[in-house]
Amino acid sequence: MENHFYKSTSISLILGALLIIITMVMHPSGGSIEHIIKISKTITIAHSLAIFSLPIILFGFYGLTINLLDKWKLSILAFIIISFGLIGAMFAAIFNGLTLPYFLNQYSERLEENIEVLKPITNFSFAINKPLDYIFIVAFCLAIMIYSIIILLENKFPKWIGYLGVFVILFSIIGGLTGFIFTSLTGFRIFTFSIATWILSSGVLLYKSDK
């Protein structure tokens, strides 16, 4: 029974990582209000896919958390932190990926006379999105660091996955200290592809787990 549980949650991690990668490949670059309206369908599809992937990823992390339980139960802390990060990602996707394109499309036929009103609203939406992105980034960094330390200390997975997690976090910290903007599309893609690689690798190892 337990073996089936780890198999199903590992498949969720693998599928979730692949969905993250597909979402970021599809994710269009932002721009003017006119450009957002023009590509609103693509924006909506990409962010809908992102929201769809979140519970799948969370279920996968639940299996990883149970597999990595140690005497301190720190993997549960990592799971709680990752849950906060996924909630932040969900709200970011809802605001900028679903609500904003829907709202702007209502003014697509009368854009010129409303442009001065729409600009502050659009800027406000982007302002909300930025702290939500940081909640996602910081939460995933903390959680992956905890998971990686447990892996390195408990020897439940091959050590390379623990070192990979530490490398991803150190890369993120160095990037943050040197002024690299992780909330830009390029920065967010680099960070997301990095954690997707770790999630995918963890899913494969969890699938191969003997438990």
Side-chain angles (χ1 to χ4, degrees):
M1 184 70 73
E2 194 175 50
N3 185 265
H4 287 88
F5 168 69
Y6 289 127
K7 289 290 188 290
S8 63
T9 51
S10 65
I11 291 171
S12 290
L13 278 179
I14 294 168
L15 179 59
L18 294 176
L19 288 172
I20 289 173
I21 293 170
I22 293 170
T23 298
M24 294 313 299
V25 170
M26 289 179 58
H27 198 298
S29 58
S32 65
I33 293 175
E34 293 88 345
H35 181 65
I36 293 174
I37 292 173
K38 185 178 179 181
I39 62 170
S40 60
K41 190 171 289 187
T42 304
I43 294 174
T44 301
I45 292 172
H47 287 86
S48 297
L49 185 61
I51 293 170
F52 172 75
S53 70
L54 299 182
I56 296 174
I57 295 169
L58 189 61
F59 179 61
F61 270 107
Y62 178 62
L64 183 66
T65 298
I66 300 303
N67 190 283
L68 293 178
L69 275 178
D70 62 323
K71 63 181 180 180
W72 301 103
K73 304 295 187 291
L74 288 177
S75 63
I76 296 176
L77 173 62
F79 180 75
I80 293 171
I81 294 172
I82 217 100
S83 300
F84 273 91
L86 292 176
I87 290 170
M90 180 186 70
F91 280 117
I94 289 173
F95 282 126
N96 261 18
L98 302 183
T99 304
L100 184 62
Y102 173 77
F103 175 77
L104 294 178
N105 265 310
Q106 293 180 316
Y107 295 90
S108 59
E109 302 299 325
R110 43 199 171 91
L111 192 58
E112 283 191 23
E113 60 263 38
N114 292 288
I115 193 70
E116 293 305 317
V117 176
L118 293 175
K119 279 182 179 178
I121 295 173
T122 304
N123 291 335
F124 179 69
S125 178
F126 291 150
I128 292 175
N129 189 76
K130 185 161 287 192
L132 290 172
D133 282 345
Y134 276 120
I135 289 172
F136 168 76
I137 291 169
V138 172
F140 261 76
C141 285
L142 287 174
I144 289 176
M145 178 62 79
I146 294 172
Y147 283 126
S148 298
I149 291 173
I150 293 171
I151 289 169
L152 292 173
L153 293 178
E154 297 293 324
N155 296 316
K156 293 188 176 183
F157 279 0
K159 285 188 180 293
W160 65 262
I161 188 64
Y163 288 122
L164 176 61
V166 172
F167 172 79
V168 169
I169 304 313
L170 289 177
F171 163 76
S172 301
I173 293 172
I174 293 170
L177 293 176
T178 54
F180 186 76
I181 303 173
F182 283 105
T183 54
S184 67
L185 180 59
T186 300
F188 197 68
R189 275 180 174 162
I190 292 172
F191 176 78
T192 305
F193 285 139
S194 299
I195 63 168
T197 300
W198 189 88
I199 293 170
L200 182 62
S201 302
S202 298
V204 171
L205 293 175
L206 183 61
Y207 187 85
K208 294 178 178 180
S209 174
D210 291 327
K211 288 193 173 186

